[in-house]
Amino acid sequence: MTSTLDVGDARLAYTEAGSGRPVVWLHGSGPGATGMSNFGGNLPAFADHRNIVVDLPGWGESPRPETDEPLIFHAADRVCRAMTALGIERAHLVGNSYGGAVAMRIAMRYPDRVDRLVLMAPGGVLPADAPPWPVGLERLFGYMAAEKPSRDAMAEFVRLMVYDESLATEALIDERYESSLRAHPELPIPPNFGDLTPDLGRIAAPTLLVWGREDQTVPLTWAPRILDGIPNAELRVLPHCRHWVQYERAPEFNHIVREFLQGGAAAAAEG
């Protein structure tokens, strides 16, 4: 069940499940994305945590923000306000793509609020030779820019997100398409995301990068700049997998992330 929070100048929608050490889940920016569409299938594996699954500003049931501030910066501040409203002083952050960029921004600006950081092919850091855009980003921006995007365009987008196209089910395409129409366009075109590159070294939290080897949206070739920039980062690469690692390779993803977060719990117990 989705609830909403007043975060000062906006309302933020979220779903809460489980109990224990808090984990905040931050979704990607694809059309029709919501917190639960990205992570709903993973939550049962994390029932021993207090899971806060956010709809970032402009997606799902969170209204589109009225701001000229870079979207990553704006969203990061509102997520921190939501954590405060929920009585969460400190949490693990798990972010996919755009949500990974939001998680990095929080870790840079509010380091005392982050335990461990899990980033799946995060945005916000571009190599110097990034353009022309990978095909997944081209489809994403093209869908957002369309006056009335079609279901066929959504089907093409969803199929690009997974290596095994059998996972791009008709039900999933319908769900994402209907969600996208309710909030279209979630992004301003062109989007002003913001650049996190100069501040990567400020991320003190232990960080796990998880990448699909065949990602066509945020390619694996973009990973080294982040891996080299974050002082305490490690990288896991899953073969035969594209951008939606947490969906396409859910059992492996759940195992890897649980193991990483439990490392944080062990360190806290020893301290």
Side-chain angles (χ1 to χ4, degrees), residues 207-228:
T207 300
L208 173 65
L209 299 170
V210 185
W211 231 283
R213 189 176 66 186
E214 287 78 22
D215 194 326
Q216 294 184 307
T217 305
V218 180
L220 181 59
T221 54
W222 293 13
R225 196 168 195 182
I226 302 174
L227 184 63
D228 293 342

Side-chain angles (χ1 to χ4, degrees), residues 172-196:
L172 175 61
I173 293 166
D174 285 339
E175 175 192 342
R176 293 286 297 229
Y177 180 58
E178 290 164 10
S179 178
S180 76
L181 294 182
R182 289 194 294 271
H184 185 77
E186 293 102 328
L187 289 176
I189 303 295
N192 175 16
F193 282 117
D195 181 15
L196 301 177

Side-chain angles (χ1 to χ4, degrees), residues 192-205:
N192 175 16
F193 282 117
D195 181 15
L196 301 177
T197 309
D199 294 321
L200 285 173
R202 295 175 57 191
I203 297 178

Side-chain angles (χ1 to χ4, degrees), residues 253-270:
F253 171 84
N254 294 341
H255 175 76
I256 291 166
V257 173
R258 281 192 58 84
E259 184 178 63
F260 180 73
L261 297 187
Q262 286 168 355
E270 290 171 7

Side-chain angles (χ1 to χ4, degrees), residues 46-207:
F46 295 86
D48 56 342
H49 290 77
R50 181 187 179 190
N51 299 288
I52 307 297
V53 187
V54 176
D55 285 353
L56 292 167
W59 276 270
E61 297 187 33
S62 294
R64 181 170 173 173
E66 298 289 334
T67 181
D68 295 325
E69 186 181 18
L71 293 175
I72 293 168
F73 300 177
H74 178 88
D77 285 345
R78 274 68 196 169
V79 170
C80 280
R81 293 181 191 178
M83 288 171 61
T84 299
L86 290 167
I88 298 172
E89 182 177 339
R90 190 176 175 92
H92 300 305
L93 303 184
V94 181
N96 176 47
S97 196
Y98 169 67
V102 175
M104 284 194 289
R105 172 67 176 180
I106 295 171
M108 293 168 179
R109 189 176 175 97
Y110 309 104
D112 291 343
R113 309 211 65 173
V114 180
D115 277 332
R116 293 196 155 211
L117 199 57
V118 179
L119 310 171
M120 296 90 80
V125 178
L126 298 177
D129 60 349
W133 297 116
V135 63
L137 285 180
E138 280 190 349
R139 294 285 171 81
L140 187 156
F141 293 142
Y143 189 101
M144 295 291 192
E147 183 176 343
K148 188 174 185 224
S150 68
R151 186 188 181 280
D152 286 344
M154 175 59 78
E156 290 179 2
F157 172 77
V158 169
R159 291 185 189 115
L160 277 172
M161 298 298 108
V162 290
Y163 182 85
D164 178 1
E165 291 191 4
S166 70
L167 295 173
T169 64
E170 296 302 307
L172 175 61
I173 293 166
D174 285 339
E175 175 192 342
R176 293 286 297 229
Y177 180 58
E178 290 164 10
S179 178
S180 76
L181 294 182
R182 289 194 294 271
H184 185 77
E186 293 102 328
L187 289 176
I189 303 295
N192 175 16
F193 282 117
D195 181 15
L196 301 177
T197 309
D199 294 321
L200 285 173
R202 295 175 57 191
I203 297 178
T207 300

